[in-house]
């Protein structure tokens, strides 16, 4: 036995470190895999479409390598990154910054799905929720790990991404979308939003953005309704204009390309640009219009002659050059309709009595309508900024609506119309409720409104996994201790009286009997028998009987 050397079985240092990391940050590996899978699926979808168009094209300009470079560049363009074309006739690089809004849905949906599934902890219904920061960081890092080599590969093609836009837009989309996916997996708690709103907005405005139950407030719902009416109305205007110029639209297909493959490619491009054209039409109805090149504006008051443009089918819907007519001025009905919709939402929310301040005063109602109009204008400005951009240099350096003009015009149109509509709807609903002696809104002592208690947090609905069936909803999902989801019921320093209406304190909850105790355990005889029985160890612990 003297020649036997006794050794101790130990784990190697890398394996021990790996186990320690996995124990301290569960879900990081699944987040990395989910983010990489989301990026890979998006790249694969763009690659399949571009390769099909390249194979069916009778006159391919480059080999399969060029098609793969274009697919990677289009995938980066879907994140908002501006592209640069280097093989121009003049030799100067030409930027291409018009983002097809329909393409944005592909990476956003894949990223949101990956982050949500990662935070939910897998396909098992009894799986614990992964810590939010861990799932979010894993998905973002996995996504960027695939996006970085894709950007390097796309830089070698004729249509190259701009590094400034790529470094800014791709991580921004990954961070925001992955955060939204994790927030959805946790049941959309209102704590994070309340913390942000508490640092940005004053107390009297927060309830307009976020309701007491964590759902969007009155102003947010009204702004979303106004923006939806504007964009949907723009789509209707686009369809009407295309119908009036159906001959020019049909001739544009034949002049731009030939063959079924070319027509299919142009039709697919038109479909991806339909949301952009709807936003352009909404900007036209608001008044600022859009640009078809530097110095060539198209507004309801008149359209200027555009420079030499390719015969694209969607451009055939633009009004003819010349002064505007009464038919062109009729598009003003669209922002008026949107303003009425915003005012109706605000006026209805002012008298529901479900808010923190009960029935709103007339000044608060008008202010809420103006605030909702401002939010709608900001949303339209964002859409206008994404829908336009440069398509080249010189005359094509400015193409599409000007975002700040569209935002100001939308806020002005909707602000004037929504305030008047909101006050009218408020007065009508109050008269309908109280005019015949009915008292729908019960008052407490001292004339203060009785507000409803804050409802419980909403539970997530059953969702589908990546490749599996529908997953059941979690009844009691444990939340990690390090999650900053603190539900703020009200402000601690809110001592002011808002319009003379202050919420009454909720009555304390009384003790309820144990529903799991048996019937005879609650009887007096059972209590007496329990009082006579004591554990032998109770005498050693005098404090054990104190509850």
């Amino acid at each position: 036995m003297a020649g036997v050397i006794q050794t101790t079985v130990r784990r190697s240092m890398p394996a021990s470190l790996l186990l320690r990391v996995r124990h301290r940050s569960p879900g990081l590996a699944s987040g990395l895999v989910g983010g990489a899978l989301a990026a890979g699926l998006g790249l694969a979808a763009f690659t399949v479409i571009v390769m099909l168009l390249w194979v069916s094209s009778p006159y391919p300009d480059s080999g399969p390598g060029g098609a793969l470079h274009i697919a990677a560049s289009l995938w980066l363009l879907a994140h908002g990154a501006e592209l640069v074309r280097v093989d121009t006739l003049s030799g100067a690089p030409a930027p291409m910054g018009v983002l097809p809004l329909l393409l944005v849905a592909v990476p956003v949906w894949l990223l949101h799905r990956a982050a949500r599934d990662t935070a939910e902890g897998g396909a098992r219904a009894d799986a614990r929720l992964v810590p939010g920061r861990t799932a979010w960081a894993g998905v973002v890092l996995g996504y960027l790990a695939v996006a970085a080599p894709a950007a390097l590969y796309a830089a070698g093609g004729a249509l190259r991404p701009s590094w400034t836009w790529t470094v800014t837009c791709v991580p921004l989309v990954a961070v925001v979308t992955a955060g939204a996916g994790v927030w959805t997996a946790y049941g959309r708690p209102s704590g994070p939003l309340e913390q942000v709103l508490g640092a940005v907005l004053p107390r009297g405005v927060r309830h307009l953005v976020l309701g007491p139950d964590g759902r969007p407030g009155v102003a947010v719902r009204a702004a979303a309704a106004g923006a939806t009416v504007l964009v949907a109305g723009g789509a209707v205007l686009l369809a009407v204009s295309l119908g009036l110029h159906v001959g020019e639209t049909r001739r544009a297909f034949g002049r731009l390309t030939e063959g079924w493959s070319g027509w299919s490619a142009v039709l697919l491009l038109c479909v991806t640009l339909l949301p952009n054209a709807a936003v352009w039409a909404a900007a036209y109805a608001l008044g600022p219009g859009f640009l078809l090149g530097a110095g060539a504006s198209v507004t309801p008051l008149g359209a200027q002659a555009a420079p030499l443009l390719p015969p694209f089918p969607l451009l055939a819907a633009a009004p003819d050059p010349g002064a505007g007519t009464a038919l062109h001025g009729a598009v003003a009905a669209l922002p008026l309709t949107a303003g009425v919709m915003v005012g109706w939402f605000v006026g209805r929310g002012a008298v529901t009595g479900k808010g923190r301040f009960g029935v709103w005063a007339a000044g608060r109602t008008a202010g809420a309508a103006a605030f909702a109009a401002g939010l709608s204008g900001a949303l339209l400005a964002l859409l206008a900024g994404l829908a336009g951009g440069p398509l080249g240099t010189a005359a094509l350096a400015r193409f599409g609506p000007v975002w700040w003009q569209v935002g100001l015009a939308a806020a002005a149109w909707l602000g004037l119309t929504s305030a008047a509509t909101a006050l009218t709807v408020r007065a009508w609903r109050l008269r309908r409720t109280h005019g015949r002696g009915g008292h729908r809104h019960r008052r407490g002592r001292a004339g203060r409104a009785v507000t409803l208690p804050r409802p419980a947090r909403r539970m997530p609905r059953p969702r589908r996994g990546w490749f599996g069936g529908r997953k059941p909803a979690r009844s009691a999902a444990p939340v990690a201790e390090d999650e900053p989801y603190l539900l703020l019921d009200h402000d601690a320093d809110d001592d002011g009286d808002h319009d003379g209406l202050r919420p009454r304190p909720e009555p304390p909850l009384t003790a309820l009997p144990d529903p799991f105790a048996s019937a005879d355990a609650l009887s007096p005889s059972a209590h007496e028998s329990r009082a006579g029985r004591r554990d032998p160890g109770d005498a050693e612990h005098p404090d054990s009987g104190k509850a």
Side-chain angles (χ1 to χ4, degrees), residues 522-539:
L522 299 177
S523 62
S525 59
H527 285 292
E528 294 175 1
S529 62
R530 286 185 180 179
R533 273 184 280 164
R534 290 189 62 184
D535 260 351
D538 290 347

Side-chain angles (χ1 to χ4, degrees), residues 23-43:
H23 177 70
R24 292 184 179 180
S25 54
L28 182 61
S30 59
L32 292 172
V33 173
L37 180 61
L41 289 177
L43 272 171

Side-chain angles (χ1 to χ4, degrees), residues 281-431:
Y284 178 83
L286 287 170
F290 51 88
L291 299 175
L292 291 179
S297 62
V298 179
T299 65
L301 299 179
Q304 300 177 359
L308 184 60
L309 296 175
F312 194 68
L314 289 181
L315 294 180
D320 298 330
T325 61
L327 182 61
H328 295 140
V331 297
L334 177 58
L336 291 177
T337 305
V340 170
M341 181 64 66
V342 172
W344 183 80
F345 268 85
V346 175
R348 189 185 64 171
V351 296
T352 53
K354 296 181 180 179
R356 180 179 175 184
F357 305 102
V359 179
W360 298 351
R364 182 178 295 276
T365 303
F371 183 69
L375 290 180
S376 185
L379 184 57
L380 259 295
L382 176 63
L383 292 176
L386 294 176
L391 278 180
T393 57
L396 296 181
R398 302 181 63 183
F399 209 77
V402 181
W403 64 272
W404 62 269
Q405 295 179 1
V406 174
L408 290 179
W413 274 101
L414 273 62
L416 296 176
T417 312
S418 62
T421 305
L423 293 176
T424 304
V425 172
R426 173 186 175 275
W428 178 73
R429 290 178 69 92
L430 286 177
R431 181 179 179 182

Side-chain angles (χ1 to χ4, degrees), residues 35 53 101 215 240 255 288 297 301 324 406 420 440 541:
L53 294 177
L101 294 180
R215 298 183 180 182
V240 171
R255 295 172 56 188
S297 62
L301 299 179
V406 174
R440 182 177 178 181
H541 304 283

